[in-house]
Every structure is written in structure tokens, then in C-alpha cells.
Amino acid sequence: MILHELISYDILRVIWWVLLGVILIGFAVTDGFDLGVGALLPFVARNDIERRVVINTVGPVWEGNQVWLILGGGAIFAAWPQLYAVSFSGFYLAMFAILFALILRPVGFKYRSKIEDPTWRSSWDWALFIGGFVPALILGVAVGNVLQGVPFRLDEDLRIFYDGTFFGLLNPFALLCGLLSVAMLVMHGAAWIVLKTEGVVAQRARRVGEVASLLTILLFALGGVALWLFVGGYRITSPIDMVGPSNPLLKTVATGGGWFANYAAHPWMLIAPALGFVGAVACYVNAKAGREIGTLLWSKLSIFGIISTVGVSMFPFILPSSADPRAGLAVWDASSSHLTLFIMLVVTVIFLPIVLAYTAWVYRVLWGKVDEQAIRDDSGHAY
């Protein structure tokens, strides 16, 4: 038996679908609080020293957290090449906007304190706000468009044609998803600030986190209702060959009711949206009670539930098409080869535990609060 045949092609496809979800969730629960902190910076910190305190809660870890985003792009490129081709070309301007905003973060961190001028520092504070708010919003908008179906089609040679526009992405349902993404990550960022600071900064962040938790619950519920009433989803109506070739055009697809069919067929999947709601409610309760670690952990659980809800609702689709439904990319017809998925899995099994262990060690070393006196005592090295 050839080594890669130890794991069947269909199982490998599902494994990489799960791993893609793990990477996206990993990005949201790590770099997500960095984005939330950036979006909150001008509002929870009122003077220069307070803002330096907030910046230094994420300054030592944001670069490592952002690796999850790069890892996600690499995984999509290697495991789901058609998904990479469609998304990175069709969403080009949106991704450029995200990239521009993310570039503002390292520049803001490095240059903000170079000049002791209030106008200079205030300008970089708002740049850091953009670097947190814009990616959170646009990533949510992208998910909203994926749920509706992306306007692309394939010809008989599997060449990709994208028929959409940047402003077409900014439709009401996608914007609702964008607002949910912002509320979710602001909730998470506020929980991180509460954990890492004290005094008035922590108090302001706690109040904002309570509001963001309630907004997350409301917007998540509204998103579900809108999905039911106005989106519906897609369903594969032809027989599914789970080990077939990666050719999306070999299936037939119908519209309507697809995103809720999995819950009827597999009720256990309702755990995902339940965790989204329960995590946000518990985050609010813990924030009210002043339980710092609990607030952060429950916000992570809410993020896990919300993102998982998207994945299990769409399965087996990973990128449906609104222009030609049968061209939609599914787990069974848009992956790399059997051998490629196996080799990538072996590499992941070796290196992912190392990455996780190192990340855990870094957070352990950096555990503790950042206060104003620490900033003053280490003014030459702190951001």
C-alpha cells in the first residue's frame, strides 16, 4: 500500500476542512483580541499614558498572533487551490483594504512614541483604530458574501470568471455580518483589556465589553433570521462522489433552504450556534461580576461557536457561487490531490504542536497586568 493511502481521500478532505476552521478560529481568538483592542484604543484610554498601557497589552504578542492569518492563506493555497484563486482574485480590493489597515498596526506601534507631540500620537492612535476596526468589519462582510454566494463561474476548462464588484460586496446582509464581526471582536478585545489592565481603563473596557456582548447576541440572532428569510443557501442535488476528481462542474446544485438542512439532518450541529449564544451571554455575566479570566474564556467560546456555525451550516460547501450554483466549491470537489493533502497533514502533525507549545510558553512568560508605573519605569522599551 502506498503510504498516503493509509488515510482515504474523503477523510483527508474532511480533515482539511476541519483544519481550515481551526486556523480561522485560531486567528479570531488570538489576533481577534488585538483587532478589538485597536478598535477600542481611542475610547477606553483618554490620555497618553493610558493609551500606552492599552497598546502594551498587545504589543508583545500581536505579531505572533497574526501568523494565524498567514497560515490560513497558506493552507487555502495548498489544500484548496480553487478557493484561493476565487477568493484572492474576486475579493482583491477588499483584501487590499484589509492589508492596508493591517500595515498601519506595526507602523503605529513602532512610530507612535517616537515624537512626544500630542497631535502626532493622536494621529497614530486613530491609525491603530483603523487597523483594528477595518479588518474586523471587512472580514465579517466577506463571510456574509460567502453565505450568500459569490458571483463567479467556471468554464469547461475550469477557468474562473468573477462577475462581482467591490461595492457589490457591501450589501445589507454582508454589512450585518460585518457589524457582528466587529461586535464579537470588540467584546473579545475588551475582555483582554480587562484582564491585562486595572483602574479606570479596565472599568471603561468592562462597560464596553458588556455592551458588545449584548450586541453580539442581538446581531447573531438577527443574522440567523436574515439567513432564513433572505438567503436560504444551496443544496447539492446530484449523487456525491466523496473521492471524485476536483471538478465542481460535475455536480448539480439547487438554491433555497440549504444552510438549515444540516441541522435537520444532524441535530447535534445545533451545538455550534448554541455555543455562540451561550458564550456571549456568559461573557456578559462574567464581565458584570468582575471575573476577568472567565470573561475572556467565554468570549473565546462565543467566537468558536459563531465561526463554527458558518462552517457547519455551509457544509459541504466552502465557497458557493451565486452566478452559477453548480460551480460552487465543495469539500468533495475543490481540494488538492490525495498525496498533497497527506503530505501537508504529516507536516501539520509535526509542526502545529510545536507552534502551540511555543505560543503557550510566550503567553505564560508575558502573563500579568500592564500598569502605568510599569510603562514609566520601562519608558525606553515600552511602546
Side-chain angles (χ1 to χ4, degrees), residues 87-255:
S87 59
F88 278 69
S89 58
F91 293 166
Y92 181 81
L93 290 179
M95 290 189 176
F96 181 83
I98 292 174
L99 181 61
F100 175 78
L102 291 177
I103 288 173
L104 288 176
R105 287 203 299 172
V107 178
F109 285 142
K110 299 298 183 182
Y111 281 89
R112 181 190 182 277
S113 296
K114 295 296 185 182
I115 301 177
E116 294 186 12
D117 176 73
T119 302
W120 170 269
R121 293 188 173 184
S122 178
S123 299
W124 284 115
D125 291 338
W126 284 104
L128 291 172
F129 163 79
I130 293 172
F133 178 82
V134 170
L137 178 67
I138 295 182
L139 288 171
V141 167
V143 172
N145 279 279
V146 169
L147 285 167
Q148 294 175 95
V150 177
F152 73 94
R153 51 192 170 83
L154 305 174
D155 67 8
E156 295 304 319
D157 295 319
L158 300 185
R159 292 180 299 178
I160 299 167
F161 299 88
Y162 181 79
D163 299 327
T165 64
F166 173 76
F167 291 103
L169 301 176
L170 305 178
N171 56 76
F173 179 76
L175 289 173
L176 174 62
C177 293
L179 292 176
L180 170 59
S181 176
V182 171
M184 178 180 73
L185 296 185
V186 165
M187 172 185 70
H188 197 40
W192 178 257
I193 294 174
V194 170
L195 179 69
K196 295 291 289 183
T197 65
E198 53 192 8
V200 293
V201 172
Q203 292 172 10
R204 295 184 195 125
R206 181 175 292 109
R207 289 194 294 268
V208 173
E210 292 169 7
V211 174
S213 300
L214 296 176
L215 286 175
T216 299
I217 297 167
L218 175 62
L219 292 170
F220 190 33
L222 288 176
V225 173
L227 196 67
W228 174 269
L229 294 177
F230 305 113
V231 178
Y234 300 83
R235 293 174 290 111
I236 298 177
T237 55
S238 58
I240 296 176
D241 184 0
M242 298 181 182
V243 295
S246 291
N247 183 350
L249 298 180
L250 297 179
K251 65 180 179 298
T252 58
V253 177
T255 59

Side-chain angles (χ1 to χ4, degrees), residues 12-87:
L12 278 172
R13 282 169 159 169
V14 173
I15 288 173
W16 273 102
W17 174 78
V18 172
L19 285 175
L20 180 59
V22 169
I23 291 170
L24 293 176
I25 293 170
F27 168 72
V29 300
T30 56
D31 203 42
F33 69 70
D34 297 342
L35 299 178
V37 168
L40 287 173
L41 178 62
F43 308 105
V44 300
R46 304 289 173 79
N47 56 48
D48 182 65
I49 190 66
E50 289 179 358
R51 291 183 177 180
R52 291 189 67 190
V53 167
V54 171
I55 290 170
N56 279 274
T57 64
V58 296
V61 297
W62 74 269
E63 289 177 289
N65 294 339
Q66 193 164 279
V67 168
W68 286 95
L69 181 62
I70 300 170
L71 180 62
I76 292 173
F77 174 79
W80 311 100
Q82 291 173 320
L83 172 62
Y84 181 90
V86 175
S87 59

Side-chain angles (χ1 to χ4, degrees), residues 255-342:
T255 59
W259 293 166
F260 292 88
N262 282 340
Y263 299 112
H266 310 286
W268 62 267
M269 289 185 174
L270 289 168
I271 294 172
L275 290 178
F277 284 114
V278 169
V281 171
C283 182
Y284 173 81
V285 172
N286 277 260
K288 273 287 188 183
R291 293 190 283 267
E292 299 172 354
I293 296 178
T295 302
L296 183 66
L297 292 179
W298 284 110
S299 72
K300 290 177 183 290
L301 184 67
S302 180
I303 290 172
F304 173 84
I306 291 171
I307 296 177
S308 297
T309 297
V310 176
V312 299
S313 297
M314 291 177 53
F315 186 86
F317 283 96
I318 51 178
L319 189 66
S321 169
S322 59
D324 179 9
R326 72 186 184 120
L329 309 181
V331 172
W332 317 118
D333 59 27
S335 73
S336 292
S337 69
H338 192 171
L339 178 59
T340 300
L341 295 183
F342 180 79

